[in-house]
Amino acid sequence: MKRLLLNILLCATLLVGCKDQVLGLDESEVLVVSTNNIEVDADANEVTVEVNSYLDYNVYCDAGWSWITPSAKSGSAGTKRITFAIAENLTISERSATITIGDSAATFSETISVLQAAGAPFIKTSVTEISADVERYTTKIDIDSNIDYTISS
């Protein structure tokens, strides 16, 4: 009985001592990305991140994929590259997202913070000049803007 308890204690000690290792690697080496921060201007951009992983992984974005598009949303063990296409920011506010690359069990993961600068304010109209010789004149003008504006005569 003492021998059985001693074996159980020895196994438990070994398991606890190895909890931070997979395949003989430290936890920090199982999945590594080439950068944890991406900062870009308001223009459309492409940024490539290298992923070195000993496990299959998935790619998630807390902001959804509306303005960031990855070249792959999953990958297998090995060294891979994921290119993120970042759409032009037409708003006057900077925008941010957190991309998480991790295994399906969420045991190992890396995060990448993405920050895109605000776009420049703009007002675009379909007509630049109107001239009329009558008291009442009606015309349609299309306006595209990322700021508030006032129309007056």
Side-chain angles (χ1 to χ4, degrees), residues 38-45 86-89 95 115-119:
I38 297 172
E39 291 188 28
V40 294
D41 58 25
D43 296 332
N45 293 276
I86 302 172
E88 180 180 10
N89 187 358
R95 56 189 178 186
L115 181 65
Q116 186 176 31

Side-chain angles (χ1 to χ4, degrees), residues 6-23:
L6 185 59
N7 283 337
I8 291 173
L9 183 59
L10 179 61
C11 287
T13 303
L14 288 173
L15 287 174
V16 169
C18 296
K19 81 174 182 79
D20 290 337
Q21 293 196 341
V22 171
L23 304 171

Side-chain angles (χ1 to χ4, degrees), residues 2 38-39 49 67 73 103 115 119 124 135 142 146:
K2 282 184 176 181
I38 297 172
E39 291 188 28
V49 174
W67 56 278
K73 292 184 182 176
D103 68 316
L115 181 65
K124 298 176 186 173
E135 257 182 58
D142 294 319
N146 65 355

Side-chain angles (χ1 to χ4, degrees), residues 6-90:
L6 185 59
N7 283 337
I8 291 173
L9 183 59
L10 179 61
C11 287
T13 303
L14 288 173
L15 287 174
V16 169
C18 296
K19 81 174 182 79
D20 290 337
Q21 293 196 341
V22 171
L23 304 171
L25 301 170
D26 287 335
E27 184 175 331
S28 63
E29 298 172 314
V30 175
L31 191 147
V32 179
V33 294
S34 59
T35 185
N36 293 102
N37 291 296
I38 297 172
E39 291 188 28
V40 294
D41 58 25
D43 296 332
N45 293 276
E46 281 194 353
V47 178
T48 300
V49 174
E50 189 169 279
V51 179
N52 186 7
S53 178
Y54 287 89
L55 303 169
D56 293 348
Y57 56 87
N58 294 307
V59 184
Y60 307 96
C61 182
D62 70 343
W65 297 115
S66 60
W67 56 278
I68 303 173
T69 305
S71 58
K73 292 184 182 176
S74 63
S76 57
T79 300
K80 307 284 193 271
R81 289 192 169 147
I82 301 174
T83 299
F84 295 96
I86 302 172
E88 180 180 10
N89 187 358
L90 297 174

Side-chain angles (χ1 to χ4, degrees), residues 17 51 94 141:
V51 179
E94 70 179 21
I141 301 173

